[in-house]
Amino acid sequence: MRSIWNGAISFGLVSIPIKLVNATESHSISFRQIHTEDGGRIRYRKFCELEDREVSGAEIGKAYEDADGTVVPISDDDLAHLPIPTARTIDIVAFVPADRIDPLQMGSAYYLAAGGAAAAKPYTLLREALKRSNKVAIAKYALRGRERLGMLRVVGEAIAMHGLLWPDEVRAPEGVAPEAPVQVRDKELDLADALMDTLGEVDLADLHDEYREALEEVIAAKAAGESPPEAPAPAAGGKVLDLMAALENSVRAAKESRGEEAAEPGARARQAVAGPAEHAEVTSLPRRRTGRAAPKETGARKTTAAAKKTAAAKKTASAGKKPAAKSARTKKATASTKASAKSASADAAACKKTTAKKTAASRRHTA
């Protein structure tokens, strides 16, 4: 790895030659600015405002501008001869427990490489002393035109240094926390603890930049003349739950993702939900309605579905009775017609018989 700074660690009267190496690297994808009409690159050129001409990098220097607009030129030679002991030295000033360092102060990370064979013994001595003491070293050093604060600690078999902000560069968290008083119940804390226990730990090596991977797929697709992959549909927003319900569901989902029994939210969670569910103090939200079936209706009160069903049954029965009644009436009319025809036929026969008798009697009288 290429060193970005050469100097020495000052450890009391011990001087350890070292090389400063970047401990991190960026994998982010950078873009160029182009002219959207023809794809031409957009470039910035540096002009001198007095001569109105472009100047080269060799002609560009540093200067400090005072409040009244006065410009004071500062050369690299001026910076190299600053009257401070940390110009080329990482000066260790104290050893403190690691938990004394506020993570808000931590900035860029570097590795300190031993500068040659002569530095191997004092380098190892400092490393082992840090290991045995379980402490970190606080040091001052100069880099890129300013004196900085640093923290030295052991990483593997190497010594690493984290750039630290000066204490007065860290803002106080005023106006950040909620101003209104908020009460958190023990049941809610128990469920939060259960959720933390369920989620457990994670191997940071398994985490990766999904945004960068998706961006690489888009670039590859467009470079090949293909359509970029479509983004997945956003998850549908659910109803806002009260805090207790949200914690319970979170514990359940975390267990399901780990293949554990989802119905068991854990001992703490069971104890937490033993009493009636309560809403969070921050906002008062309605409880989620469950999917239990409605109780059955009894007595004269019937559901709309039952009433419709009964009406349909009556209609069907009524429709079935109408043809039967019509058939009975038809049969009755037919029988009546037949009886009338039979009676008429009998009357005609009787009349004919009577006429025949009268004719015979008239013939005997005449004889």
Side-chain angles (χ1 to χ4, degrees):
M1 291 183 285
R2 185 175 64 87
S3 63
I4 61 173
W5 184 88
N6 295 335
I9 299 176
S10 176
F11 178 29
L13 298 179
V14 179
S15 180
I16 310 172
I18 57 96
K19 297 179 180 180
L20 196 66
V21 178
N22 280 321
T24 61
E25 58 185 1
S26 175
H27 293 162
S28 62
I29 298 176
S30 58
F31 295 99
R32 302 290 188 184
Q33 289 187 328
I34 62 169
H35 187 200
T36 55
E37 292 187 3
D38 53 20
R41 283 281 304 277
I42 301 297
R43 299 181 182 274
Y44 294 92
R45 297 178 180 179
K46 298 181 179 181
F47 277 75
C48 173
E49 63 178 13
L50 297 179
E51 299 183 11
D52 193 23
R53 69 177 181 88
E54 186 178 357
V55 294
S56 63
E59 300 177 85
I60 300 174
K62 300 182 183 69
Y64 172 79
E65 184 175 359
D66 207 348
D68 60 0
T70 303
V71 177
V72 181
I74 302 294
S75 66
D76 291 338
D77 189 59
D78 295 332
L79 297 176
H81 293 85
L82 288 174
I84 57 174
T86 57
R88 282 291 170 183
T89 305
I90 298 175
D91 186 19
I92 296 177
V93 297
F95 292 88
V96 300
D99 58 6
R100 288 270 304 276
I101 306 301
D102 188 345
L104 287 173
Q105 289 183 255
M106 300 179 68
S108 301
Y110 308 94
Y111 287 130
L112 304 180
K121 182 65 178 287
Y123 184 97
T124 305
L125 172 65
L126 176 59
R127 183 191 67 201
E128 296 303 314
L130 289 171
K131 281 184 179 181
R132 192 165 70 172
S133 68
N134 291 321
K135 293 183 177 181
V136 297
I138 302 301
K140 296 169 69 177
Y141 65 101
L143 181 66
R144 298 188 180 98
R146 55 172 293 200
E147 188 174 55
R148 301 169 186 266
L149 195 61
M151 179 190 75
L152 278 64
R153 68 184 183 95
V154 177
V155 177
E157 296 300 315
I159 299 175
M161 182 175 71
H162 296 269
L164 298 179
L165 297 174
W166 296 98
D168 60 356
E169 293 179 315
V170 179
R171 294 178 175 180
E174 297 178 356
V176 177
E179 296 181 359
V182 177
Q183 180 184 2
V184 178
R185 294 181 172 84
D186 290 339
K187 294 178 181 179
E188 296 165 343
L189 284 174
D190 290 340
L191 274 173
D193 290 341
L195 177 58
M196 293 168 63
D197 293 341
T198 304
L199 291 176
E201 299 182 357
V202 65
D203 186 356
L204 295 181
D206 294 335
L207 303 179
H208 56 281
D209 188 350
E210 297 182 7
Y211 178 85
R212 178 174 59 86
E213 293 177 354
L215 187 57
E216 289 175 348
E217 292 180 2
V218 171
I219 294 174
K222 299 203 72 172
E226 302 173 354
S227 299
E230 295 183 1
K239 295 182 179 179
V240 179
L241 305 176
D242 60 81
L243 185 56
M244 292 291 289
L247 288 170
E248 293 174 29
N249 293 338
S250 298
V251 172
R252 187 178 300 107
K255 283 186 170 292
E256 289 177 351
S257 67
R258 292 175 176 270
E260 301 177 13
E261 182 61 37
E264 293 292 333
R268 292 181 179 176
R270 287 196 300 271
Q271 182 180 1
V273 299
E278 300 178 2
H279 298 290
E281 290 292 331
V282 180
T283 53
S284 180
L285 301 174
R287 293 292 309 277
R288 173 187 283 183
R289 298 182 63 183
T290 61
R292 293 181 299 176
K296 295 182 179 180
E297 296 284 345
T298 59
R301 297 179 62 186
K302 296 182 179 180
T303 61
T304 304
K308 290 183 177 179
K309 185 176 181 181
T310 303
K314 289 182 177 180
K315 185 176 180 181
T316 303
S318 176
K321 289 179 180 180
K322 287 181 179 180
K326 184 177 181 181
S327 177
R329 289 196 299 268
T330 303
K331 289 181 179 180
K332 187 176 180 180
T334 304
S336 178
T337 303
K338 289 182 177 180
S340 300
K342 186 175 182 182
S343 178
S345 178
D347 291 342
C351 182
K352 185 178 182 180
K353 187 176 181 181
T354 301
T355 303
K357 287 181 177 181
K358 288 182 178 181
T359 303
S362 177
R363 286 177 179 177
R364 285 195 301 268
H365 182 70
T366 305

